[in-house]
Each structure stands twice: as C-alpha cells, then as structure tokens.
Amino acid sequence: GDDLKAAIVVQSYSPKVAYSDKDLELLSFVAAHIANLLTQKIADKKLQHLALHDPLTDLANRVLFIDRVSCALRRNDYQDRCLCAVLYMDVDLFKSVNDRYGHTIGDALLIQFAHLLERQVNEYDTVARLGFIRRAQVIGFSLDEVKTLLKLGETPNCRGARTLAAAHLRGLRPR
C-alpha cells in the first residue's frame, strides 16, 4: 500500500559504545521526518502524473502532448538528421459503441485501443489522448527512416507513408 515506513539503523562494533534513550528518541524523530519526506515525494510524483496523463487511458494528455511536440520541433531545428511527425486519429463511430453497449464497454474499448497504440511505438514516441476519443502520436524519425518511408510510399496502398515522409522533408510546422 501507500503506508510508508522509514528506519534508521545505527550499529557499533565497539562494546564501549552504548546508545541512550535520548539517542533513540533522536533517531526516531529523524526516521519519522524521512518517512514524511518520502511520502511527500511519492504524492508529488502521483500529482505530476495525474496532471500530465489521461485518467482513463493513462496516455499523455494535451498538456504533455504539446510539450513533446514543442521539444520535437526544437530538436528538429538544431539537428539536421532529426525529423518528427504528428499523426492524428479519430476513432470512427465510437459514439455508437457507447450508445449501444454503454460507457463501461466503451471505456474498456478505449483502454484497449490505447494499449494497442502504445505497443506500436518505441519508447521515445508519445501517444496522447487529446479529447474524448481523439488520439495523436509524436513520432521521431531519422533521415534514413524517412527515406525508407518514401520507398514504402512508392508501393501500392502505401500513399500515406509517402505523404508523411514528404511532409517531413518539406519541414512542415504547425501554425
């Protein structure tokens, strides 16, 4: 659970050293303060996570997403071989799932969809829930990966990859 305990162990190998009740009282006082500090640190981390993540899906929220996009664009400005893309998705007809099966099933579907998207990206990419059912991903690409995307885009049924890579190469920026 969230119940946190702290202990301070003081040991002497000399038989001449003895600890008084005042020493034990001081150690207990210090241990209690360490426990309080650790509890506060844990609470701060939880609050920070809640401020930056969607409570239902645990994906990044709009605030964290905008921060990651800003960082990716700044990195793009000073690294020639670093490119990024934003993929925006809207789950079609999701409202009909909620209407037909209820919000419990709809929420479960959103959570599974979020996990599916997170498994498709690497640790440096961000999958975010921007609104009720919208998702976006910030994906970083090296120049070699963009060239691979361009080649992929030349194959049938892969025009989206070519458009994405072309947008990278033109250096598109959000307004």
Side-chain angles (χ1 to χ4, degrees):
D2 291 336
D3 198 23
L4 187 65
K5 305 279 187 233
I8 296 178
V9 178
V10 179
Q11 180 178 355
S12 172
Y13 293 102
S14 170
K16 296 179 184 177
V17 175
Y19 298 105
S20 68
D21 288 343
K22 283 201 174 262
D23 294 332
L24 294 175
E25 186 179 321
L26 175 63
L27 289 174
S28 294
F29 175 79
V30 171
H33 281 284
I34 290 172
N36 287 339
L37 287 171
L38 290 174
T39 301
Q40 185 63 44
K41 284 284 188 191
I42 291 169
D44 289 348
K45 277 192 162 295
K46 285 181 182 178
L47 280 174
Q48 183 179 21
H49 184 83
L50 287 171
L52 298 174
H53 292 83
D54 175 65
L56 177 64
T57 62
D58 204 39
L59 293 176
N61 66 13
R62 183 178 299 273
V63 172
L64 183 55
F65 177 74
I66 290 169
D67 180 65
R68 297 276 170 88
V69 169
S70 298
C71 288
L73 291 175
R74 279 194 306 274
R75 193 171 44 252
N76 192 31
D77 285 341
Y78 67 84
Q79 290 181 352
D80 289 340
R81 298 180 60 82
C82 179
L83 301 168
C84 70
V86 175
L87 303 177
Y88 178 83
M89 292 174 259
D90 194 342
V91 183
D92 289 332
L93 304 175
F94 183 78
K95 184 181 180 317
S96 63
V97 172
N98 275 340
D99 292 345
R100 183 169 182 182
Y101 300 104
H103 289 279
T104 302
I105 299 297
D107 288 352
L109 179 63
L110 274 177
I111 292 166
Q112 289 304 311
F113 185 64
H115 292 300
L116 174 70
L117 288 175
E118 284 186 311
R119 286 192 303 267
Q120 305 306 312
V121 299
N122 69 42
E123 64 184 298
Y124 303 107
D125 297 337
T126 300
V127 179
R129 182 174 185 211
L130 301 179
F132 181 64
I133 54 174
R134 290 172 185 84
R135 305 285 182 277
Q137 292 174 231
V138 180
I139 302 177
F141 289 102
S142 70
L143 193 55
D144 292 334
E145 289 170 319
V146 172
K147 289 176 183 174
T148 302
L149 280 173
L150 282 170
K151 287 178 189 171
L152 235 166
E154 292 169 0
T155 61
N157 301 322
C158 289
R159 278 190 225 120
R162 183 162 183 75
T163 304
L164 177 66
H168 281 304
L169 294 175
R170 284 193 304 269
L172 295 179
R173 296 276 195 277
R175 296 187 191 276

PDB file of all heavy atoms in Angstrom, residues 39-70:
ATOM      1  N   THR A  39       6.982  10.260   1.754  1.00  0.00           N
ATOM      2  CA  THR A  39       5.548  10.270   1.471  1.00  0.00           C
ATOM      3  C   THR A  39       5.187  11.474   0.603  1.00  0.00           C
ATOM      4  O   THR A  39       4.424  11.353  -0.353  1.00  0.00           O
ATOM      5  CB  THR A  39       4.739  10.298   2.787  1.00  0.00           C
ATOM      6  OG1 THR A  39       5.068   9.151   3.553  1.00  0.00           O
ATOM      7  CG2 THR A  39       3.243  10.330   2.525  1.00  0.00           C
ATOM      8  N   GLN A  40       5.759  12.629   0.909  1.00  0.00           N
ATOM      9  CA  GLN A  40       5.506  13.835   0.123  1.00  0.00           C
ATOM     10  C   GLN A  40       6.034  13.694  -1.295  1.00  0.00           C
ATOM     11  O   GLN A  40       5.373  14.085  -2.260  1.00  0.00           O
ATOM     12  CB  GLN A  40       6.140  15.060   0.802  1.00  0.00           C
ATOM     13  CG  GLN A  40       5.831  16.355   0.114  1.00  0.00           C
ATOM     14  CD  GLN A  40       4.358  16.689   0.108  1.00  0.00           C
ATOM     15  OE1 GLN A  40       3.677  16.545   1.121  1.00  0.00           O
ATOM     16  NE2 GLN A  40       3.834  17.110  -1.029  1.00  0.00           N
ATOM     17  N   LYS A  41       7.231  13.109  -1.436  1.00  0.00           N
ATOM     18  CA  LYS A  41       7.804  12.893  -2.774  1.00  0.00           C
ATOM     19  C   LYS A  41       6.913  11.969  -3.593  1.00  0.00           C
ATOM     20  O   LYS A  41       6.680  12.215  -4.784  1.00  0.00           O
ATOM     21  CB  LYS A  41       9.215  12.287  -2.675  1.00  0.00           C
ATOM     22  CG  LYS A  41      10.267  13.257  -2.283  1.00  0.00           C
ATOM     23  CD  LYS A  41      10.595  14.130  -3.461  1.00  0.00           C
ATOM     24  CE  LYS A  41      11.782  14.999  -3.151  1.00  0.00           C
ATOM     25  NZ  LYS A  41      11.966  16.016  -4.159  1.00  0.00           N
ATOM     26  N   ILE A  42       6.414  10.899  -2.999  1.00  0.00           N
ATOM     27  CA  ILE A  42       5.530   9.965  -3.706  1.00  0.00           C
ATOM     28  C   ILE A  42       4.239  10.670  -4.116  1.00  0.00           C
ATOM     29  O   ILE A  42       3.769  10.525  -5.242  1.00  0.00           O
ATOM     30  CB  ILE A  42       5.249   8.716  -2.839  1.00  0.00           C
ATOM     31  CG1 ILE A  42       6.528   7.878  -2.721  1.00  0.00           C
ATOM     32  CG2 ILE A  42       4.103   7.899  -3.405  1.00  0.00           C
ATOM     33  CD1 ILE A  42       6.453   6.778  -1.684  1.00  0.00           C
ATOM     34  N   ALA A  43       3.678  11.463  -3.217  1.00  0.00           N
ATOM     35  CA  ALA A  43       2.450  12.211  -3.522  1.00  0.00           C
ATOM     36  C   ALA A  43       2.697  13.211  -4.653  1.00  0.00           C
ATOM     37  O   ALA A  43       1.854  13.360  -5.549  1.00  0.00           O
ATOM     38  CB  ALA A  43       1.938  12.924  -2.272  1.00  0.00           C
ATOM     39  N   ASP A  44       3.846  13.876  -4.631  1.00  0.00           N
ATOM     40  CA  ASP A  44       4.185  14.829  -5.698  1.00  0.00           C
ATOM     41  C   ASP A  44       4.288  14.130  -7.046  1.00  0.00           C
ATOM     42  O   ASP A  44       3.808  14.640  -8.059  1.00  0.00           O
ATOM     43  CB  ASP A  44       5.500  15.546  -5.391  1.00  0.00           C
ATOM     44  CG  ASP A  44       5.396  16.539  -4.242  1.00  0.00           C
ATOM     45  OD1 ASP A  44       4.257  16.853  -3.814  1.00  0.00           O
ATOM     46  OD2 ASP A  44       6.457  16.997  -3.759  1.00  0.00           O
ATOM     47  N   LYS A  45       4.927  12.955  -7.075  1.00  0.00           N
ATOM     48  CA  LYS A  45       5.052  12.200  -8.329  1.00  0.00           C
ATOM     49  C   LYS A  45       3.679  11.790  -8.849  1.00  0.00           C
ATOM     50  O   LYS A  45       3.412  11.861 -10.038  1.00  0.00           O
ATOM     51  CB  LYS A  45       5.924  10.959  -8.127  1.00  0.00           C
ATOM     52  CG  LYS A  45       7.396  11.232  -8.206  1.00  0.00           C
ATOM     53  CD  LYS A  45       8.139   9.905  -8.290  1.00  0.00           C
ATOM     54  CE  LYS A  45       9.518  10.036  -8.797  1.00  0.00           C
ATOM     55  NZ  LYS A  45       9.666  10.474 -10.147  1.00  0.00           N
ATOM     56  N   LYS A  46       2.794  11.357  -7.952  1.00  0.00           N
ATOM     57  CA  LYS A  46       1.433  10.964  -8.357  1.00  0.00           C
ATOM     58  C   LYS A  46       0.677  12.163  -8.918  1.00  0.00           C
ATOM     59  O   LYS A  46      -0.003  12.050  -9.938  1.00  0.00           O
ATOM     60  CB  LYS A  46       0.672  10.359  -7.180  1.00  0.00           C
ATOM     61  CG  LYS A  46       1.097   8.966  -6.836  1.00  0.00           C
ATOM     62  CD  LYS A  46       0.284   8.425  -5.669  1.00  0.00           C
ATOM     63  CE  LYS A  46       0.733   7.042  -5.284  1.00  0.00           C
ATOM     64  NZ  LYS A  46      -0.011   6.521  -4.133  1.00  0.00           N
ATOM     65  N   LEU A  47       0.793  13.317  -8.263  1.00  0.00           N
ATOM     66  CA  LEU A  47       0.116  14.525  -8.744  1.00  0.00           C
ATOM     67  C   LEU A  47       0.654  14.954 -10.104  1.00  0.00           C
ATOM     68  O   LEU A  47      -0.117  15.330 -10.991  1.00  0.00           O
ATOM     69  CB  LEU A  47       0.276  15.665  -7.737  1.00  0.00           C
ATOM     70  CG  LEU A  47      -0.657  15.644  -6.544  1.00  0.00           C
ATOM     71  CD1 LEU A  47      -0.286  16.739  -5.549  1.00  0.00           C
ATOM     72  CD2 LEU A  47      -2.102  15.792  -6.981  1.00  0.00           C
ATOM     73  N   GLN A  48       1.964  14.897 -10.273  1.00  0.00           N
ATOM     74  CA  GLN A  48       2.555  15.258 -11.561  1.00  0.00           C
ATOM     75  C   GLN A  48       2.053  14.316 -12.648  1.00  0.00           C
ATOM     76  O   GLN A  48       1.705  14.751 -13.748  1.00  0.00           O
ATOM     77  CB  GLN A  48       4.078  15.221 -11.481  1.00  0.00           C
ATOM     78  CG  GLN A  48       4.738  15.653 -12.773  1.00  0.00           C
ATOM     79  CD  GLN A  48       6.255  15.629 -12.681  1.00  0.00           C
ATOM     80  OE1 GLN A  48       6.838  14.955 -11.848  1.00  0.00           O
ATOM     81  NE2 GLN A  48       6.885  16.382 -13.550  1.00  0.00           N
ATOM     82  N   HIS A  49       1.987  13.027 -12.349  1.00  0.00           N
ATOM     83  CA  HIS A  49       1.495  12.063 -13.338  1.00  0.00           C
ATOM     84  C   HIS A  49       0.029  12.361 -13.692  1.00  0.00           C
ATOM     85  O   HIS A  49      -0.345  12.367 -14.864  1.00  0.00           O
ATOM     86  CB  HIS A  49       1.632  10.636 -12.800  1.00  0.00           C
ATOM     87  CG  HIS A  49       1.233   9.600 -13.786  1.00  0.00           C
ATOM     88  ND1 HIS A  49       2.089   9.147 -14.767  1.00  0.00           N
ATOM     89  CD2 HIS A  49       0.063   8.950 -13.976  1.00  0.00           C
ATOM     90  CE1 HIS A  49       1.466   8.254 -15.513  1.00  0.00           C
ATOM     91  NE2 HIS A  49       0.231   8.122 -15.049  1.00  0.00           N
ATOM     92  N   LEU A  50      -0.785  12.628 -12.670  1.00  0.00           N
ATOM     93  CA  LEU A  50      -2.194  12.935 -12.917  1.00  0.00           C
ATOM     94  C   LEU A  50      -2.362  14.208 -13.746  1.00  0.00           C
ATOM     95  O   LEU A  50      -3.277  14.301 -14.565  1.00  0.00           O
ATOM     96  CB  LEU A  50      -2.943  13.088 -11.589  1.00  0.00           C
ATOM     97  CG  LEU A  50      -3.203  11.800 -10.825  1.00  0.00           C
ATOM     98  CD1 LEU A  50      -3.760  12.105  -9.436  1.00  0.00           C
ATOM     99  CD2 LEU A  50      -4.140  10.881 -11.590  1.00  0.00           C
ATOM    100  N   ALA A  51      -1.475  15.176 -13.550  1.00  0.00           N
ATOM    101  CA  ALA A  51      -1.567  16.440 -14.290  1.00  0.00           C
ATOM    102  C   ALA A  51      -1.203  16.272 -15.760  1.00  0.00           C
ATOM    103  O   ALA A  51      -1.610  17.075 -16.589  1.00  0.00           O
ATOM    104  CB  ALA A  51      -0.669  17.488 -13.650  1.00  0.00           C
ATOM    105  N   LEU A  52      -0.448  15.220 -16.099  1.00  0.00           N
ATOM    106  CA  LEU A  52       0.059  15.065 -17.459  1.00  0.00           C
ATOM    107  C   LEU A  52      -0.499  13.857 -18.205  1.00  0.00           C
ATOM    108  O   LEU A  52      -0.097  13.603 -19.340  1.00  0.00           O
ATOM    109  CB  LEU A  52       1.593  14.979 -17.428  1.00  0.00           C
ATOM    110  CG  LEU A  52       2.303  16.212 -16.871  1.00  0.00           C
ATOM    111  CD1 LEU A  52       3.793  15.955 -16.748  1.00  0.00           C
ATOM    112  CD2 LEU A  52       2.016  17.431 -17.715  1.00  0.00           C
ATOM    113  N   HIS A  53      -1.408  13.119 -17.576  1.00  0.00           N
ATOM    114  CA  HIS A  53      -1.934  11.904 -18.211  1.00  0.00           C
ATOM    115  C   HIS A  53      -3.454  11.833 -18.109  1.00  0.00           C
ATOM    116  O   HIS A  53      -4.043  12.317 -17.147  1.00  0.00           O
ATOM    117  CB  HIS A  53      -1.312  10.663 -17.561  1.00  0.00           C
ATOM    118  CG  HIS A  53       0.147  10.541 -17.854  1.00  0.00           C
ATOM    119  ND1 HIS A  53       1.100  11.219 -17.127  1.00  0.00           N
ATOM    120  CD2 HIS A  53       0.806   9.847 -18.804  1.00  0.00           C
ATOM    121  CE1 HIS A  53       2.293  10.940 -17.615  1.00  0.00           C
ATOM    122  NE2 HIS A  53       2.144  10.113 -18.638  1.00  0.00           N
ATOM    123  N   ASP A  54      -4.045  11.210 -19.105  1.00  0.00           N
ATOM    124  CA  ASP A  54      -5.484  10.987 -19.135  1.00  0.00           C
ATOM    125  C   ASP A  54      -5.845   9.971 -18.045  1.00  0.00           C
ATOM    126  O   ASP A  54      -5.223   8.907 -17.972  1.00  0.00           O
ATOM    127  CB  ASP A  54      -5.868  10.446 -20.523  1.00  0.00           C
ATOM    128  CG  ASP A  54      -7.321  10.081 -20.610  1.00  0.00           C
ATOM    129  OD1 ASP A  54      -8.159  10.991 -20.514  1.00  0.00           O
ATOM    130  OD2 ASP A  54      -7.609   8.872 -20.753  1.00  0.00           O
ATOM    131  N   PRO A  55      -6.831  10.274 -17.214  1.00  0.00           N
ATOM    132  CA  PRO A  55      -7.149   9.364 -16.110  1.00  0.00           C
ATOM    133  C   PRO A  55      -7.730   8.017 -16.557  1.00  0.00           C
ATOM    134  O   PRO A  55      -7.564   7.017 -15.859  1.00  0.00           O
ATOM    135  CB  PRO A  55      -8.163  10.149 -15.270  1.00  0.00           C
ATOM    136  CG  PRO A  55      -8.681  11.222 -16.160  1.00  0.00           C
ATOM    137  CD  PRO A  55      -7.631  11.486 -17.190  1.00  0.00           C
ATOM    138  N   LEU A  56      -8.376   7.969 -17.703  1.00  0.00           N
ATOM    139  CA  LEU A  56      -8.975   6.718 -18.162  1.00  0.00           C
ATOM    140  C   LEU A  56      -7.947   5.803 -18.822  1.00  0.00           C
ATOM    141  O   LEU A  56      -7.808   4.638 -18.471  1.00  0.00           O
ATOM    142  CB  LEU A  56     -10.131   6.993 -19.135  1.00  0.00           C
ATOM    143  CG  LEU A  56     -10.792   5.758 -19.744  1.00  0.00           C
ATOM    144  CD1 LEU A  56     -11.470   4.924 -18.652  1.00  0.00           C
ATOM    145  CD2 LEU A  56     -11.796   6.167 -20.807  1.00  0.00           C
ATOM    146  N   THR A  57      -7.207   6.336 -19.770  1.00  0.00           N
ATOM    147  CA  THR A  57      -6.306   5.505 -20.578  1.00  0.00           C
ATOM    148  C   THR A  57      -4.860   5.537 -20.102  1.00  0.00           C
ATOM    149  O   THR A  57      -4.057   4.713 -20.517  1.00  0.00           O
ATOM    150  CB  THR A  57      -6.320   5.975 -22.042  1.00  0.00           C
ATOM    151  OG1 THR A  57      -5.846   7.330 -22.081  1.00  0.00           O
ATOM    152  CG2 THR A  57      -7.715   5.878 -22.641  1.00  0.00           C
ATOM    153  N   ASP A  58      -4.520   6.490 -19.271  1.00  0.00           N
ATOM    154  CA  ASP A  58      -3.162   6.723 -18.793  1.00  0.00           C
ATOM    155  C   ASP A  58      -2.218   7.163 -19.917  1.00  0.00           C
ATOM    156  O   ASP A  58      -1.005   7.131 -19.773  1.00  0.00           O
ATOM    157  CB  ASP A  58      -2.589   5.498 -18.054  1.00  0.00           C
ATOM    158  CG  ASP A  58      -1.496   5.898 -17.083  1.00  0.00           C
ATOM    159  OD1 ASP A  58      -1.626   6.948 -16.432  1.00  0.00           O
ATOM    160  OD2 ASP A  58      -0.486   5.157 -16.990  1.00  0.00           O
ATOM    161  N   LEU A  59      -2.787   7.571 -21.049  1.00  0.00           N
ATOM    162  CA  LEU A  59      -1.977   8.148 -22.121  1.00  0.00           C
ATOM    163  C   LEU A  59      -1.612   9.579 -21.735  1.00  0.00           C
ATOM    164  O   LEU A  59      -2.232  10.178 -20.860  1.00  0.00           O
ATOM    165  CB  LEU A  59      -2.765   8.180 -23.432  1.00  0.00           C
ATOM    166  CG  LEU A  59      -3.116   6.852 -24.072  1.00  0.00           C
ATOM    167  CD1 LEU A  59      -3.988   7.072 -25.302  1.00  0.00           C
ATOM    168  CD2 LEU A  59      -1.878   6.059 -24.426  1.00  0.00           C
ATOM    169  N   ALA A  60      -0.627  10.126 -22.415  1.00  0.00           N
ATOM    170  CA  ALA A  60      -0.297  11.534 -22.223  1.00  0.00           C
ATOM    171  C   ALA A  60      -1.539  12.373 -22.526  1.00  0.00           C
ATOM    172  O   ALA A  60      -2.338  12.016 -23.391  1.00  0.00           O
ATOM    173  CB  ALA A  60       0.840  11.930 -23.168  1.00  0.00           C
ATOM    174  N   ASN A  61      -1.707  13.477 -21.801  1.00  0.00           N
ATOM    175  CA  ASN A  61      -2.838  14.363 -22.090  1.00  0.00           C
ATOM    176  C   ASN A  61      -2.380  15.501 -22.991  1.00  0.00           C
ATOM    177  O   ASN A  61      -1.241  15.541 -23.444  1.00  0.00           O
ATOM    178  CB  ASN A  61      -3.488  14.865 -20.789  1.00  0.00           C
ATOM    179  CG  ASN A  61      -2.566  15.763 -19.980  1.00  0.00           C
ATOM    180  OD1 ASN A  61      -1.536  16.234 -20.445  1.00  0.00           O
ATOM    181  ND2 ASN A  61      -2.938  16.002 -18.733  1.00  0.00           N
ATOM    182  N   ARG A  62      -3.279  16.437 -23.246  1.00  0.00           N
ATOM    183  CA  ARG A  62      -2.998  17.543 -24.167  1.00  0.00           C
ATOM    184  C   ARG A  62      -1.780  18.356 -23.715  1.00  0.00           C
ATOM    185  O   ARG A  62      -0.943  18.745 -24.539  1.00  0.00           O
ATOM    186  CB  ARG A  62      -4.238  18.438 -24.264  1.00  0.00           C
ATOM    187  CG  ARG A  62      -4.116  19.573 -25.240  1.00  0.00           C
ATOM    188  CD  ARG A  62      -5.407  20.383 -25.302  1.00  0.00           C
ATOM    189  NE  ARG A  62      -6.538  19.590 -25.733  1.00  0.00           N
ATOM    190  CZ  ARG A  62      -6.884  19.392 -27.015  1.00  0.00           C
ATOM    191  NH1 ARG A  62      -6.184  19.963 -27.968  1.00  0.00           N
ATOM    192  NH2 ARG A  62      -7.916  18.658 -27.317  1.00  0.00           N
ATOM    193  N   VAL A  63      -1.645  18.623 -22.430  1.00  0.00           N
ATOM    194  CA  VAL A  63      -0.530  19.428 -21.914  1.00  0.00           C
ATOM    195  C   VAL A  63       0.804  18.747 -22.212  1.00  0.00           C
ATOM    196  O   VAL A  63       1.732  19.364 -22.739  1.00  0.00           O
ATOM    197  CB  VAL A  63      -0.687  19.666 -20.392  1.00  0.00           C
ATOM    198  CG1 VAL A  63       0.547  20.333 -19.800  1.00  0.00           C
ATOM    199  CG2 VAL A  63      -1.929  20.499 -20.107  1.00  0.00           C
ATOM    200  N   LEU A  64       0.907  17.457 -21.900  1.00  0.00           N
ATOM    201  CA  LEU A  64       2.149  16.723 -22.151  1.00  0.00           C
ATOM    202  C   LEU A  64       2.401  16.580 -23.649  1.00  0.00           C
ATOM    203  O   LEU A  64       3.535  16.696 -24.119  1.00  0.00           O
ATOM    204  CB  LEU A  64       2.095  15.346 -21.480  1.00  0.00           C
ATOM    205  CG  LEU A  64       3.351  14.484 -21.592  1.00  0.00           C
ATOM    206  CD1 LEU A  64       4.583  15.214 -21.079  1.00  0.00           C
ATOM    207  CD2 LEU A  64       3.143  13.169 -20.847  1.00  0.00           C
ATOM    208  N   PHE A  65       1.333  16.359 -24.409  1.00  0.00           N
ATOM    209  CA  PHE A  65       1.466  16.225 -25.858  1.00  0.00           C
ATOM    210  C   PHE A  65       2.053  17.496 -26.472  1.00  0.00           C
ATOM    211  O   PHE A  65       2.995  17.448 -27.267  1.00  0.00           O
ATOM    212  CB  PHE A  65       0.108  15.906 -26.479  1.00  0.00           C
ATOM    213  CG  PHE A  65       0.133  15.827 -27.971  1.00  0.00           C
ATOM    214  CD1 PHE A  65       0.702  14.746 -28.617  1.00  0.00           C
ATOM    215  CD2 PHE A  65      -0.410  16.841 -28.738  1.00  0.00           C
ATOM    216  CE1 PHE A  65       0.731  14.669 -29.992  1.00  0.00           C
ATOM    217  CE2 PHE A  65      -0.382  16.785 -30.118  1.00  0.00           C
ATOM    218  CZ  PHE A  65       0.185  15.690 -30.751  1.00  0.00           C
ATOM    219  N   ILE A  66       1.516  18.651 -26.096  1.00  0.00           N
ATOM    220  CA  ILE A  66       2.004  19.922 -26.634  1.00  0.00           C
ATOM    221  C   ILE A  66       3.464  20.133 -26.238  1.00  0.00           C
ATOM    222  O   ILE A  66       4.280  20.588 -27.044  1.00  0.00           O
ATOM    223  CB  ILE A  66       1.104  21.091 -26.177  1.00  0.00           C
ATOM    224  CG1 ILE A  66      -0.251  20.996 -26.886  1.00  0.00           C
ATOM    225  CG2 ILE A  66       1.765  22.440 -26.439  1.00  0.00           C
ATOM    226  CD1 ILE A  66      -1.308  21.928 -26.347  1.00  0.00           C
ATOM    227  N   ASP A  67       3.814  19.770 -25.022  1.00  0.00           N
ATOM    228  CA  ASP A  67       5.205  19.874 -24.584  1.00  0.00           C
ATOM    229  C   ASP A  67       6.111  18.986 -25.434  1.00  0.00           C
ATOM    230  O   ASP A  67       7.180  19.411 -25.868  1.00  0.00           O
ATOM    231  CB  ASP A  67       5.327  19.498 -23.104  1.00  0.00           C
ATOM    232  CG  ASP A  67       6.754  19.598 -22.619  1.00  0.00           C
ATOM    233  OD1 ASP A  67       7.296  20.725 -22.597  1.00  0.00           O
ATOM    234  OD2 ASP A  67       7.338  18.543 -22.276  1.00  0.00           O
ATOM    235  N   ARG A  68       5.688  17.750 -25.699  1.00  0.00           N
ATOM    236  CA  ARG A  68       6.503  16.830 -26.501  1.00  0.00           C
ATOM    237  C   ARG A  68       6.635  17.312 -27.946  1.00  0.00           C
ATOM    238  O   ARG A  68       7.705  17.206 -28.543  1.00  0.00           O
ATOM    239  CB  ARG A  68       5.900  15.428 -26.472  1.00  0.00           C
ATOM    240  CG  ARG A  68       5.882  14.799 -25.092  1.00  0.00           C
ATOM    241  CD  ARG A  68       7.187  14.131 -24.755  1.00  0.00           C
ATOM    242  NE  ARG A  68       7.287  13.714 -23.386  1.00  0.00           N
ATOM    243  CZ  ARG A  68       6.877  12.553 -22.911  1.00  0.00           C
ATOM    244  NH1 ARG A  68       6.332  11.662 -23.705  1.00  0.00           N
ATOM    245  NH2 ARG A  68       7.015  12.269 -21.633  1.00  0.00           N
ATOM    246  N   VAL A  69       5.546  17.858 -28.504  1.00  0.00           N
ATOM    247  CA  VAL A  69       5.623  18.403 -29.869  1.00  0.00           C
ATOM    248  C   VAL A  69       6.602  19.570 -29.897  1.00  0.00           C
ATOM    249  O   VAL A  69       7.455  19.660 -30.786  1.00  0.00           O
ATOM    250  CB  VAL A  69       4.233  18.847 -30.386  1.00  0.00           C
ATOM    251  CG1 VAL A  69       4.364  19.652 -31.667  1.00  0.00           C
ATOM    252  CG2 VAL A  69       3.343  17.642 -30.599  1.00  0.00           C
ATOM    253  N   SER A  70       6.511  20.455 -28.917  1.00  0.00           N
ATOM    254  CA  SER A  70       7.420  21.609 -28.855  1.00  0.00           C
ATOM    255  C   SER A  70       8.871  21.151 -28.762  1.00  0.00           C
ATOM    256  O   SER A  70       9.744  21.685 -29.455  1.00  0.00           O
ATOM    257  CB  SER A  70       7.087  22.491 -27.648  1.00  0.00           C
ATOM    258  OG  SER A  70       5.799  23.008 -27.768  1.00  0.00           O
TER     259      SER A  70
END
